[in-house]
Amino acid sequence: MTTPRPARSSTDTTGEPAGDIAGEPAGDIAGEPAGDIAGEPDGAAAGGVGAGGDCPHVPEIPFPGSFRFDPDPVWGRLREQQPITRVRTIAGSVVWLVTRYDDVRTVLTDPRFSRAGTVAPGAPRVAVSSPLPGTLPTTDPPEHTRLRGLVSGVFSRRRIEQRRDWIAGLAGELVDRMVAAGAPGDLRAALALPLPIQVICELLGVPYDDRDRFRAWTELAYSLVPAEAQRVRAAMAALTDYLAELVADNPGVGDDILTELAGDDALGTDELVAFGMNLLVAGHETTANQIASFVATLLREPAHWDRLVAEPELVETAVEELLRHTRLSEVGQLRVATTDVPLAGVTVRAGDGVMAAIAAANRDPRAFDRPDEVVLDREPGRHLAFGIGPHFCLGAHLARVELQEALRALTARCPRLRLAVPAEQLRWRHVLVSGVEALPVTW
Ligand code: HEM
């Protein structure tokens, strides 16, 4: 049986955002949807979620029940009944979606699933904008290995641990300021956003006073609403110009990353600018949303919060558990197959896009006991929140330290912290990196 190739759709107009989360700022906005898929399920292709071919009913991702506290139940159904399926992105590309732990691991670690392929001409896309070529998230070894080697030392556990006290101090000051301003407060604005922004500015050598400018550009870079393509393009151009100016004006005397990289003759100016954009955006948007989501999750069932207050030594396992439990995005990580590959019972064809759904894998009962429960002292170690394989999150240890110190500062200073509104009333942002719009709290 031959499965017909799915028709290319016109750019979606639902206004539902999507994307992937590696934090790559977009390079340009291709006006056309790109990429389709020629894979051939080894079973019946028609009917149900994920039926592909010319069938116009390939479900769109993000799924309709996205942007809420709990995952759309479709994730669990897919994981059990259709572990590989087809979905249509908001850019109109039809790609495979895998939801089981082992399959997600395979896609993220097997070199036949390429990151560089996601920026090749005609590649499938998950977003309005295209990722920036030539950066960590869009290269494969050996080029990726070279680029990663330039920055891995700066983000190593040892170098980040040297900053822990400083990060803890910043977190404490931000919580003190929130408390001094009086309850209720918005924890997203008071702590979750400013902490990682201050940290990445210091590490990179980007002036913190410029935060309002690059925040606005970052929001747009991740907005991914097709109707906003023009504004997204302008924001990305502004962000590129901004980083190019910083690089050009760099006096070359600081101990920040941009200065360090500028001293490396192997790196061209464009590469340096791309690096800067990648690190600035990935370096704060993810952690900021996760700090707020973690606190929201703990306060939704206040017994979790009270336990963490009573047993502060649980902070490290609690952070790992919340990384596992709290999804960062409503879509998966994209790769493109470089050759035909058997995967979860289908043959993925060379050129097909494959999305690895980390959030679904992290709730797979095959990998985790009682996966939907938050267990603050769960034995950590197996979750995929930071990915796995060559593209494992560069900033993982930095993110861990920020998350741990944010929770330590809050539990120590605000032991009676509570949500100021019912959890169900929290509004979730319809963007690439999920999170709450605001987190009103009392203490
Ligand atoms: C809670 C916070 C964070 C989460 C959950 C997270 C998650 C991830 C994931 C899942 C990937 C792998 C993507 C893939 O394989 O396709 C990734 C890659 C990456 N992350 Fe993070 N991240 C976080 C914070 C950070 C921070 C603070 C930085 C700061 C530098 C950062 C920089 C990067 C970079 C540069 C990559 C690409 C690495 C590569 O391709 O070699 N991330 N992140």
Side-chain angles (χ1 to χ4, degrees), residues 230-246:
Q230 291 276 12
R231 294 180 63 217
V232 175
R233 186 188 289 130
M236 296 322 302
L239 193 51
T240 312
D241 290 349
Y242 173 71
L243 260 303
E245 261 172 49
L246 279 186

Side-chain angles (χ1 to χ4, degrees), residues 115 136-137 144 148 155 282-283 286-287 333 335 385-387 391 393:
R115 262 296 201 176
L136 286 177
H144 174 264
R148 185 119 180 174
F155 290 96
T286 43
T287 320
Q333 301 301 120
R335 300 289 191 271
F386 291 120
H391 294 278
C393 178

Side-chain angles (χ1 to χ4, degrees), residues 5-11 32-37 53-55 88 91-94 121-125 351:
R5 294 172 73 85
R8 287 172 188 243
S9 82
S10 59
T11 302
E32 290 174 10
D36 57 13
I37 206 164
D54 283 330
C55 172
R88 190 184 306 277
S93 305
V94 176
R125 289 188 296 117

Side-chain angles (χ1 to χ4, degrees), residues 175 178-179 183-188 190-191 291-292 294-309 406-407 409-420 439-443:
V175 177
M178 178 181 86
V179 170
D186 174 8
L187 194 135
R188 176 177 160 87
L191 174 69
I291 291 173
F294 283 18
V295 175
T297 302
L298 290 169
L299 295 179
R300 186 191 196 188
E301 289 180 46
H304 290 319
W305 180 261
D306 296 345
R307 182 170 184 205
L308 200 55
V309 169
L407 290 184
L410 271 173
T411 45
R413 288 168 169 78
C414 306
R416 287 191 293 277
L417 195 73
R418 289 291 182 263
L419 289 176
L439 188 59
V441 288
T442 58
W443 48 86

Side-chain angles (χ1 to χ4, degrees), residues 110-353:
D110 187 324
R112 291 174 296 177
F113 296 106
S114 157
R115 262 296 201 176
T118 64
V119 288
R125 289 188 296 117
V126 288
V128 181
S129 54
S130 306
L132 201 62
T135 58
L136 286 177
T138 53
T139 46
D140 293 329
E143 176 61 1
H144 174 264
T145 318
R146 179 185 78 87
L147 292 175
R148 185 119 180 174
L150 296 173
V151 279
S152 53
V154 183
F155 290 96
S156 68
R157 177 181 293 266
R158 189 181 58 81
R159 294 276 290 273
I160 296 300
E161 282 302 330
Q162 289 167 357
R163 304 264 189 174
R164 184 186 282 275
D165 290 349
W166 168 69
I167 292 171
L170 287 179
E173 280 168 28
L174 290 165
V175 177
D176 286 344
R177 222 172 292 155
M178 178 181 86
V179 170
D186 174 8
L187 194 135
R188 176 177 160 87
L191 174 69
L193 267 173
L195 178 64
I197 293 179
Q198 251 170 281
V199 170
I200 200 67
C201 279
E202 172 78 13
L203 292 181
L204 270 183
V206 168
Y208 184 61
D209 285 350
D210 291 347
R211 62 191 176 279
D212 290 344
R213 295 166 73 198
F214 66 73
R215 269 303 302 158
W217 298 326
T218 302
E219 293 268 340
L220 272 165
Y222 281 144
S223 131
L224 311 173
V225 176
E228 284 190 327
Q230 291 276 12
R231 294 180 63 217
V232 175
R233 186 188 289 130
M236 296 322 302
L239 193 51
T240 312
D241 290 349
Y242 173 71
L243 260 303
E245 261 172 49
L246 279 186
V247 166
D249 296 346
N250 192 320
V253 290
D255 63 354
D256 56 82
I257 299 173
L258 285 181
T259 304
E260 200 169 308
L261 289 177
D264 194 311
D265 293 340
L267 209 58
T269 305
D270 288 352
E271 279 183 317
L272 189 53
V273 168
F275 241 122
M277 288 172 74
N278 186 203
L279 295 178
L280 182 60
V281 173
H284 78 271
E285 187 69 19
T286 43
T287 320
N289 282 292
Q290 289 298 70
I291 291 173
S293 298
F294 283 18
V295 175
T297 302
L298 290 169
L299 295 179
R300 186 191 196 188
E301 289 180 46
H304 290 319
W305 180 261
D306 296 345
R307 182 170 184 205
L308 200 55
V309 169
E311 298 175 67
E313 66 280 8
L314 289 184
V315 157
E316 289 180 19
T317 52
V319 163
E320 297 310 307
E321 173 67 343
L322 291 162
L323 281 163
R324 180 193 70 79
H325 190 270
T326 312
R327 66 197 180 285
L328 187 65
S329 184
E330 301 287 5
V331 301
Q333 301 301 120
L334 188 66
R335 300 289 191 271
V336 171
T338 55
T339 181
D340 292 0
V341 191
L343 181 68
V346 312
T347 301
V348 170
R349 301 289 186 210
D352 287 356

